Amino acid sequence: MQAALILFSVATLAPLFGAAIAGLFGRRIGDGPAQAVTILCMVVATLSSYGALMGGMAGGGMPSVVLLSHWIDAGSFHVNWALRFDTLSVTMVAMVLTVSTLVHVYSIGYMAHDTMPRYRFFSYLSLFTFAMLMLVTSNDLIQLFFGWEGVGLMSYLLIGYWYQKPSACAAAIKAFVVNRVADLFFLVGIGLIFVVFGTVQYDDIFATVPDHVQTGYYLFGSIHSVLEIIATLLFVGAMGKSAQLFFHTWLPDAMEGPTPVSALIHAATMVTAGVFLMARMSPLIEFAPDTRMFIVLIGATTCFFAATVGLVQPDIKRTIAYSTCSQLGYMFMAIGVGAYQAGVFHLTTHAFFKALLFLGAGCVIHAMHEEQDMFRMGGLWKKIPVTYAMMWIGSLALAGVFPFAGYWSKDAILNAAWAAHSEVGTYGWILGTITAFITALYSWRLIFLVFHGKPHDQHAFDHAHESPAVMLGPVLILSIGALVAGAALAPLYIGGKQEGFWGGAIFNAPGNTVMASLENVPTLVALLPSIVGLLGIGLAYVLYIARPEMPAQIASSFRPVYQFLLNKWYFDELYDLIFVKPYRVIARALWHGVDEGVIEKVPVGLAEMTRGTAITATRTQTGSIAVYAFTMLVGLVVLVTTVVFFQ
């Protein structure tokens, strides 16, 4: 067991070492050595995580805590820097490192011709990974918040990596600001936890949660359950990081960053943080039923909303980005109905096929010389057959087609929503099933537009080529995960072995039997997501292969609906009207009226007065000795008069 803890520590800290070497010495040693160091550290970390996972499961010593150092001591507030070693943290570490390592390797080829210093890019990638590892291995909410803010900072740096592009800078700022709004709620939630529980350490909080079920908190003129308030605050924080409805607007704009960044953000790091937080805090969330209802409503609505928007996007990366937003909605739906294990299961399988789709899209963009508009592509399966096959595998997993990974995890969530036997559960199941149909439709819309039909840009098509091995290798490895991860992990994550596997890392209250009921849903309910998924694929074939003129006709006939979806339900325009424009008016008024009109005028006025006095004084300097003598005489007379008459 001691060896497993050592390997776990190495897995968590090795990316920081690589990032430090690349960041501090990259300019001196060059891009190539910096890339090699970061990738070597990532490989060591990944292999160590596998050893820690196997050692922990075999040794039976989980949960454990690895104390690294004392951190904060302020009165009664004490925080240690420690790594929590349990099933939830070690499986997350293994998943994050696996995907991140493959993204690092892929980036060698993808960024090969970039004019920016690549050592900085690889340093940022490793720091991004380290921040996520700090988040998932935290033993208290303060360290979790450190990792939480760390992934936010690194996403800002990576989304805006091409800082010469105004759109990239704007997207980075947007992601940073939107997440800061949600993080305020999260921070208040942490503060309230400390006020109520007197600690921010997980085990101490979870042990006393049942004692506070009846505890009230006065808010907005009435008494509310303090656990409901805390759970809601934490969930709003999670909504920002995981791009749920109302806080989702930053996610598609994040596509301004390099494609490897998109893959890392969407598959293994930032957006999964909110789901992880809810699973980690399951002992508290379980006792907040109203918050769980709210989570289902937001999750189900988000998965439907994002799917409808992804249905009409012309950009290949934005289409996949909205699929991420939609799949995260499924995960939160699972959290809301109490199927935390199913939510984490989908998070894990999703990491493989979403990274596969993004890196596959990167291969397409690489082949098309940075073109991202799907309507300017077509017929590419002949030019890039390996990428074409990988995109099929990723899309089959995303659509939940048997036996691909998404089938096992997404269907488990829909079964859990049905088995919850609640109004919000039924709402989630209906929207989730409809979304399964839309997901398959827009996934094959992407495949047919990009890889089939006639080329729309003959010049780009003629020069299209398959990506180098350093890019295709990670894609091929991810395709294996997208194919087998669901079947391989289902018995452990949600099957008969789940209780022993999780070992208490995820909590289900005694009255929560949803996980035990997953296999007891009606056959039609269990099969319906697969049926509608196949129907979605069939409809995509009709619309984009058999009758390719139909999509334009439908868009023309239902122009208002098409514009509504194309403009993302007008959330950006609404926020611009409600928040951005009033803020600009206020800022401009403060700028001209207060800053320039008052603050700047005081020192400017004093300066002008001093300048005027100095100019007047200089006029007395005539250079005439007679004038100087007369002035001295006048001064002497005044002095003598003063002495004589005012003694």
Side-chain angles (χ1 to χ4, degrees):
M1 188 60 198
Q2 189 65 30
L5 294 177
I6 294 173
L7 289 172
F8 187 62
S9 302
V10 171
T12 306
L13 299 175
L16 176 62
F17 179 78
I21 296 297
L24 296 175
F25 304 106
R27 186 186 297 272
R28 186 179 307 171
I29 64 178
D31 288 333
Q35 292 173 356
V37 169
T38 54
I39 292 174
L40 176 62
C41 289
M42 291 301 301
V43 170
V44 170
T46 304
L47 295 176
S48 298
S49 72
Y50 298 158
L53 176 59
M54 292 185 290
M57 295 178 64
M62 295 189 287
S64 301
V65 175
V66 180
L67 179 62
L68 298 180
S69 68
H70 297 290
W71 188 16
I72 301 174
D73 289 298
S76 61
F77 184 69
H78 305 283
V79 177
N80 293 323
W81 196 273
L83 306 178
R84 185 178 183 86
F85 184 66
D86 63 8
T87 306
L88 181 59
S89 62
V90 74
T91 52
M92 287 291 295
V93 166
M95 180 275 291
V96 170
L97 285 170
T98 299
V99 174
S100 184
T101 299
L102 294 174
V103 170
H104 274 70
V105 175
Y106 178 94
S107 298
I108 295 175
Y110 192 86
M111 303 296 289
H113 302 292
D114 194 78
T115 57
M116 302 284 287
R118 292 192 298 279
Y119 70 84
R120 182 163 60 88
F121 179 78
F122 279 81
S123 177
Y124 287 173
L125 283 183
S126 292
L127 274 177
F128 199 3
T129 306
F130 170 73
M132 187 65 187
L133 295 178
M134 286 295 98
L135 190 156
V136 300
T137 61
S138 61
N139 193 46
D140 57 69
L141 287 165
I142 300 301
Q143 186 178 330
L144 185 146
F145 192 71
F146 168 83
W148 191 273
E149 293 302 300
V151 295
L153 171 62
M154 298 315 302
S155 68
Y156 168 79
L157 294 174
L158 285 166
I159 293 169
Y161 177 74
W162 287 321
Y163 56 81
Q164 306 97 328
K165 294 170 56 180
S167 58
C169 295
I173 293 171
K174 186 176 183 179
F176 195 77
V177 170
V178 171
N179 276 275
R180 294 294 73 72
V181 174
D183 289 353
L184 176 61
F185 290 86
F186 183 28
L187 191 58
V188 172
I190 295 174
L192 187 55
I193 286 175
F194 182 73
V195 169
V196 174
F197 295 94
T199 181
V200 291
Q201 202 271 333
Y202 294 142
D203 289 335
D204 295 337
I205 295 170
F206 300 157
T208 56
V209 164
D211 299 335
H212 294 280
V213 172
Q214 302 300 325
T215 302
Y217 193 83
Y218 188 79
L219 185 67
F220 300 133
S222 59
I223 300 295
H224 303 271
S225 167
V226 71
L227 296 183
E228 294 282 7
I229 295 174
I230 291 171
T232 300
L233 289 170
L234 297 182
F235 174 60
V236 174
M239 288 173 64
K241 273 291 180 289
S242 296
Q244 293 300 280
L245 194 67
F246 305 116
F247 289 96
H248 67 278
T249 54
W250 68 270
L251 192 62
D253 290 356
M255 298 303 97
E256 290 291 339
T259 300
V261 174
S262 304
L264 197 55
I265 289 176
H266 286 248
T269 54
M270 187 166 170
V271 298
T272 62
V275 180
F276 170 82
L277 173 65
M278 294 291 100
R280 174 60 79 197
M281 299 302 293
S282 58
L284 189 150
I285 303 296
E286 277 288 84
F287 293 95
D290 292 341
T291 301
R292 284 172 50 193
M293 291 175 59
F294 179 57
I295 293 173
V296 175
L297 290 173
I298 291 294
T301 308
T302 300
C303 79
F304 173 75
F305 150 77
T308 61
V309 176
L311 192 59
V312 298
Q313 292 299 304
D315 187 289
I316 185 171
K317 285 175 64 177
R318 285 178 181 260
T319 300
I320 301 173
Y322 277 107
S323 78
T324 299
C325 189
S326 181
Q327 297 303 305
L328 288 164
Y330 279 111
M331 298 175 206
F332 280 106
M333 193 194 311
I335 298 294
V337 298
Y340 308 94
Q341 296 89 336
V344 176
F345 183 31
H346 195 49
L347 183 155
T348 305
T349 60
H350 175 263
F352 289 103
F353 63 74
K354 188 49 57 70
L356 171 60
L357 286 170
F358 264 114
L359 297 188
C363 291
V364 172
I365 295 168
H366 181 266
M368 292 294 291
H369 306 284
E370 306 307 316
E371 179 61 65
Q372 295 183 199
D373 188 343
M374 294 186 291
F375 291 98
R376 294 181 60 83
M377 301 179 187
L380 286 176
W381 74 270
K382 299 176 183 178
K383 290 283 190 173
I384 47 175
V386 177
T387 300
Y388 173 61
M390 296 303 101
M391 292 296 285
W392 260 88
I393 293 174
S395 297
L396 287 167
L398 175 62
V401 176
F402 179 84
F404 294 86
Y407 165 81
W408 304 91
S409 54
K410 185 165 70 176
D411 282 25
I413 292 173
L414 292 174
N415 289 348
W418 178 274
H421 299 299
S422 63
E423 292 181 357
V424 292
T426 303
Y427 173 80
W429 181 83
I430 292 172
L431 283 190
T433 303
I434 295 172
T435 301
F437 169 78
I438 302 174
T439 300
L441 176 56
Y442 69 65
S443 296
W444 266 262
R445 169 182 179 264
L446 184 154
I447 286 178
F448 293 145
L449 284 175
V450 172
F451 295 102
H452 292 268
K454 296 180 180 179
H456 295 280
D457 186 335
Q458 191 63 47
H459 177 75
F461 176 81
D462 291 340
H463 291 83
H465 56 85
E466 194 67 87
S467 298
V470 74
M471 293 172 64
L472 289 180
V475 174
L476 289 169
I477 295 172
L478 287 168
S479 70
I480 297 172
L483 180 60
V484 305
L489 298 178
L492 298 174
Y493 278 68
I494 60 172
K497 300 178 182 179
Q498 62 169 299
E499 188 172 346
F501 175 74
W502 290 112
I506 294 177
F507 176 77
N508 295 106
N512 183 353
T513 60
V514 68
M515 292 304 298
S517 304
L518 289 183
E519 303 298 329
N520 300 326
V521 299
T523 303
L524 180 60
V525 171
L527 292 177
L528 195 57
S530 298
I531 294 172
V532 299
L534 294 174
L535 290 175
I537 296 173
L539 180 59
Y541 177 83
V542 171
L543 293 176
Y544 295 98
I545 298 297
R547 299 284 304 278
E549 74 282 357
M550 284 187 66
Q553 294 173 355
I554 294 172
S556 178
S557 300
F558 299 93
R559 189 72 178 173
V561 176
Y562 174 73
Q563 287 295 324
F564 180 72
L565 299 180
L566 186 63
N567 287 283
K568 302 156 286 187
W569 291 26
Y570 292 103
F571 270 103
D572 282 314
E573 290 78 4
L574 181 63
Y575 287 174
D576 188 62
L577 179 65
I578 296 176
F579 300 115
V580 177
K581 288 183 178 178
Y583 179 81
R584 283 178 175 170
V585 171
I586 295 171
R588 199 171 292 274
L590 292 174
W591 170 27
H592 292 299
V594 178
D595 192 30
E596 291 183 341
V598 178
I599 297 175
E600 290 186 9
K601 279 194 174 181
V602 171
V604 170
L606 290 173
E608 287 296 327
M609 184 175 67
T610 304
R611 179 173 175 274
T613 304
I615 291 173
T616 302
T618 59
R619 290 171 181 166
T620 65
Q621 306 299 316
T622 63
S624 172
I625 296 177
V627 172
Y628 293 161
F630 178 75
T631 303
M632 292 172 63
L633 179 61
V634 171
L636 180 61
V637 170
V638 172
L639 177 62
V640 171
T641 303
T642 302
V643 172
V644 172
F645 289 98
F646 294 98
Q647 283 187 346

